[in-house]
């Protein structure tokens, strides 16, 4: 890193924390009043894996009172006192991150900013609304809220709404675009060999693409041993994240991939899914929410791994 303190602007001299959820990694900083000027360039340099700390995303822990969006959420959710200010690795602002919100709660807990015992829940304000996160024996589970089709009834009727091209595929494949508070496009492949053969260093092309771009998930079904007592589905997934590139995991992507696969499977498809990503395994469950809409619950591990001071 440069010896010039101005290189890191207002981040110079601050203690930053590195954490991850199933390999999807983030840089965290506590800035309760949102006073640090997090420019896209500064965030991108901090997340650079060669010249910075290296991460898929950057998360500021701020009080909800420090932003207009957070203040508005507090009107309905007075317990959502912490706001997850999430940025992609390229510095762009993102609505939500499923792995990120679990890791965010672990950061708040390990920093002593909240107390959360196993079985207890905490409400977190995000740009995609308030998320309720529970601490479990294995990590954290978060109600991600309802899922929806980005392109509406056209997707519901046909089971697909776009064509996706990617390096490693000879021809474009049909995809289904789903919102989890942020946009996703899911593509089912016929074999694990095709999944492994993808080059996701380059961004897949989606036509038509959601207005603000999209994350793209490629999936294949996985056979599970079933003793008849439970009905659980399983898929393998790789993802190219908007503004980041390929990542080892994507929480909202796992939810969207499970939702699309379940939709394609019809009425007999299960409500519980295991999503195997390069960084581990996430559990996705579909439940009826308090608003009478179908919600998605995402569960998996999260942990902090190091602290860093930028010079």
């Amino acid at each position: 890193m440069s010896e010039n303190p101005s290189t890191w602007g207002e981040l110079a001299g601050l203690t930053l924390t590195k954490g991850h959820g199933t390999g999807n990694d983030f840089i965290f900083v506590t800035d309760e009043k949102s006073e640090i000027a997090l420019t896209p360039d500064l965030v991108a340099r901090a997340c650079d894996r060669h010249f910075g700390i290296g991460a898929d995303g950057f998360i500021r822990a701020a009080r909800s009172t420090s932003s207009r969006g957070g203040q508005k959420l507090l009107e309905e959710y007075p317990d959502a006192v912490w706001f997850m200010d999430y940025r992609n690795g390229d510095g762009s602002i993102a609505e939500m991150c499923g792995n990120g919100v679990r890791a965010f709660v672990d950061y708040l807990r390990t920093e002593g900013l909240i107390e959360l015992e196993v079985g207890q829940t905490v409400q977190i304000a995000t740009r995609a609304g308030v998320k309720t996160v529970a601490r479990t024996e294995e990590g954290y589970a978060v109600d991600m809220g309802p899922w929806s089709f980005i392109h509406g009834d056209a997707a519901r009727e046909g089971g697909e709404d776009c064509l996706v091209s990617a390096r490693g595929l000879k021809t474009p494949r049909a995809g289904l675009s789903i919102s989890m508070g942020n946009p996703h496009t899911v593509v089912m492949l016929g074999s694990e060999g095709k999944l492994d053969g993808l080059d996701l260093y380059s961004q897949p092309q989606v036509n038509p693409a959601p207005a603000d771009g999209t994350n793209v998930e490629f999936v294949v079904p996985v056979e599970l041993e079933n003793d008849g007592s439970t009905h659980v589905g399983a898929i393998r997934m790789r993802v190219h994240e908007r503004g980041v590139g390929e990542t080892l995991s994507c929480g909202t992507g796992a939810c969207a991939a499970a939702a699309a696969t379940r939709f394609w499977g019809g009425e007999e498809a299960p409500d519980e899914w295991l999503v195997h990503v390069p960084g581990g395994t996430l559990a996705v469950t579909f439940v009826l929410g308090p608003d009478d809409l179908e919600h998605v619950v995402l569960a998996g591990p999260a942990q902090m791994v190091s602290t860093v001071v930028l010079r």
Side-chain angles (χ1 to χ4, degrees), residues 73-84:
L73 290 171
L74 280 172
E75 295 175 5
E76 186 175 355
Y77 303 94
D79 292 334
V81 298
W82 286 101
F83 180 76
M84 184 182 82

Side-chain angles (χ1 to χ4, degrees), residues 1-8 45 51 310-311:
M1 296 183 186
S2 170
E3 296 181 358
N4 181 359
S6 65
T7 297
W8 296 110
R45 284 188 287 117
F51 298 100
L310 291 173
R311 297 182 181 277

Side-chain angles (χ1 to χ4, degrees), residues 99 180 184 217 219 235 237 239 249-260 273 275-277 282-284 286 296 298:
N99 287 322
M180 286 301 313
H184 297 270
E217 289 80 26
V219 301
I235 54 177
M237 181 187 93
V239 56
S249 180
C250 177
T252 52
C255 294
W273 291 81
V275 181
H276 302 291
V277 294
L282 294 163
V284 175
F286 295 87
V296 188
L298 173 70

Side-chain angles (χ1 to χ4, degrees), residues 109 116-121 134-139:
R109 189 179 65 82
L116 192 67
E117 301 297 329
V118 172
Q120 293 181 328
T121 63
R135 187 179 173 195
T136 68
E137 293 285 357
E138 296 78 21

Side-chain angles (χ1 to χ4, degrees), residues 116-154:
L116 192 67
E117 301 297 329
V118 172
Q120 293 181 328
T121 63
V122 62
Q123 291 184 327
I124 300 297
T126 77
R127 292 189 179 88
V130 171
K131 305 301 177 186
T132 299
V133 184
R135 187 179 173 195
T136 68
E137 293 285 357
E138 296 78 21
Y140 301 89
V142 53
D143 182 348
M144 300 293 292
W147 66 277
S148 62
F149 296 109
I150 288 179
H151 296 302
D153 291 340

Side-chain angles (χ1 to χ4, degrees), residues 232-255:
V232 179
I235 54 177
R236 274 190 64 207
M237 181 187 93
R238 290 178 63 192
V239 56
H240 184 284
E241 286 199 56
R242 177 186 54 164
V244 183
E246 183 173 14
T247 59
L248 295 180
S249 180
C250 177
T252 52
C255 294

Side-chain angles (χ1 to χ4, degrees), residues 48-309:
D48 189 287
R49 297 191 182 277
H50 299 287
F51 298 100
I53 298 170
D56 294 324
F58 191 107
I59 301 177
R60 166 166 42 197
R63 293 283 179 177
S64 296
T65 52
S66 70
S67 69
R68 290 182 181 178
Q71 291 172 9
K72 187 172 182 61
L73 290 171
L74 280 172
E75 295 175 5
E76 186 175 355
Y77 303 94
D79 292 334
V81 298
W82 286 101
F83 180 76
M84 184 182 82
D85 182 4
Y86 179 68
R87 317 293 172 104
N88 291 317
D90 67 352
S92 60
I93 292 175
E95 304 90 344
M96 178 56 190
C97 177
N99 287 322
V101 72
R102 295 196 330 276
F104 180 67
V105 171
D106 193 66
Y107 172 75
L108 294 177
R109 189 179 65 82
T110 56
E111 289 293 302
L113 298 172
I114 63 170
E115 293 184 2
L116 192 67
E117 301 297 329
V118 172
Q120 293 181 328
T121 63
V122 62
Q123 291 184 327
I124 300 297
T126 77
R127 292 189 179 88
V130 171
K131 305 301 177 186
T132 299
V133 184
R135 187 179 173 195
T136 68
E137 293 285 357
E138 296 78 21
Y140 301 89
V142 53
D143 182 348
M144 300 293 292
W147 66 277
S148 62
F149 296 109
I150 288 179
H151 296 302
D153 291 340
R156 181 185 296 277
E157 294 172 2
E160 57 192 47
D161 55 25
C162 60
L163 288 175
V164 180
S165 301
R167 288 189 177 182
L169 295 178
K170 293 182 179 179
T171 59
R173 302 300 177 92
L176 180 61
S177 295
I178 285 178
S179 174
M180 286 301 313
N182 59 353
H184 297 270
T185 300
V186 184
V187 178
M188 177 66 72
L189 299 178
S191 69
E192 295 200 35
K194 291 188 181 299
L195 182 67
D196 293 334
L198 291 173
D199 174 7
L200 296 185
Y201 180 80
S202 301
Q203 181 176 344
Q205 300 301 305
V206 180
N207 186 29
D212 296 322
T214 185
N215 304 290
V216 183
E217 289 80 26
F218 296 90
V219 301
V220 293
V222 175
E223 292 293 332
L224 288 180
E225 293 184 9
N226 194 335
D227 60 7
S229 62
T230 59
H231 187 27
V232 179
I235 54 177
R236 274 190 64 207
M237 181 187 93
R238 290 178 63 192
V239 56
H240 184 284
E241 286 199 56
R242 177 186 54 164
V244 183
E246 183 173 14
T247 59
L248 295 180
S249 180
C250 177
T252 52
C255 294
T261 306
R262 179 170 170 264
F263 173 71
W264 289 324
E267 294 184 359
E268 299 302 316
D271 292 333
E272 297 180 32
W273 291 81
L274 295 177
V275 181
H276 302 291
V277 294
T281 298
L282 294 163
V284 175
T285 306
F286 295 87
V287 301
L288 183 65
D291 51 8
D292 291 328
L293 297 175
E294 189 171 72
H295 284 221
V296 188
V297 176
L298 173 70
Q303 67 180 96
M304 300 300 104
V305 296
S306 64
T307 57
V308 179
V309 177

